[in-house]
């Protein structure tokens, strides 16, 4: 899915260190119920390929772990499909991890949904 085909629901910047878990990022969904999503960074070796994992405890709570190299900017090659929003519209996650000083990282989290077309259906 391309970003230009999607609508941004929410964007938030977190400041995280290795092994540190954020508080929950709340994604308000008046139809499907609000979601509570904490994020954590984990360092990997310079030669390792990082992954992003999602662990859902129920439809409204999930933990994300983003693996990063300590001094590298990290961004997924594709947006992650992480569930649904509203009346079953696909929900996507994008992020950028930017290293800062003293082991801190700016983590820009962005949630997307498919754009609505005039007839009220999703743009699939």
């Amino acid at each position: 899915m391309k970003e230009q085909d999607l609508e941004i629901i929410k964007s938030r910047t977190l400041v995280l260190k290795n092994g540190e878990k954020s508080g929950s990022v709340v994604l308000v969904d008046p139809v499907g119920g609000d979601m509570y999503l904490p994020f954590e960074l984990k360092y990997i070796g310079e030669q390792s390929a990082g992954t992003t994992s999602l662990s859902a405890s129920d439809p409204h709570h999930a933990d994300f772990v983003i693996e990063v190299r300590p001094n590298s900017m990290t961004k997924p090659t594709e947006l992650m499909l992480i569930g649904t929003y509203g009346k079953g519209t696909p929900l996507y996650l994008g992020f950028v991890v930017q290293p800062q000083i003293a082991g801190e990282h700016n983590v820009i989290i962005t949630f997307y949904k498919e754009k609505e077309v005039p007839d009220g259906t999703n743009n699939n």
Side-chain angles (χ1 to χ4, degrees), residues 32-88:
D34 297 349
M35 292 171 251
Y36 301 87
L37 310 165
F39 291 81
E40 181 179 349
L41 292 183
K42 286 202 177 175
Y43 283 169
I44 57 172
E46 289 299 324
Q47 304 304 317
S48 300
T51 61
T52 301
S53 59
L54 158 70
S55 175
S57 56
D58 64 46
H60 302 282
H61 296 85
D63 295 339
F64 288 88
V65 176
I66 302 171
E67 294 181 340
V68 299
R69 295 183 186 118
N71 296 308
S72 296
M73 189 166 113
T74 304
K75 180 179 179 180
T77 55
E78 295 181 0
L79 297 177
M80 291 178 60
L81 177 61
I82 61 168
T84 59
Y85 183 82
K87 296 178 183 177

Side-chain angles (χ1 to χ4, degrees), residues 8-116:
I8 294 175
I9 300 171
K10 180 176 190 161
S11 187
R12 174 129 181 242
T13 301
L14 308 171
V15 178
L16 295 176
K17 292 184 176 183
N18 178 43
E20 182 177 86
K21 193 177 201 178
S22 75
S24 290
V25 174
V26 179
L27 186 59
V28 176
D29 182 348
V31 176
D34 297 349
M35 292 171 251
Y36 301 87
L37 310 165
F39 291 81
E40 181 179 349
L41 292 183
K42 286 202 177 175
Y43 283 169
I44 57 172
E46 289 299 324
Q47 304 304 317
S48 300
T51 61
T52 301
S53 59
L54 158 70
S55 175
S57 56
D58 64 46
H60 302 282
H61 296 85
D63 295 339
F64 288 88
V65 176
I66 302 171
E67 294 181 340
V68 299
R69 295 183 186 118
N71 296 308
S72 296
M73 189 166 113
T74 304
K75 180 179 179 180
T77 55
E78 295 181 0
L79 297 177
M80 291 178 60
L81 177 61
I82 61 168
T84 59
Y85 183 82
K87 296 178 183 177
T89 302
L91 175 66
Y92 296 89
L93 170 74
F95 62 85
V96 177
V97 180
Q98 303 165 323
Q100 303 297 312
I101 58 172
E104 290 184 338
H105 301 265
N106 283 343
V107 183
I108 303 165
I109 306 292
T110 307
F111 297 96
Y112 303 85
K113 70 175 186 169
E114 290 184 2
K115 290 180 181 177
E116 297 284 326

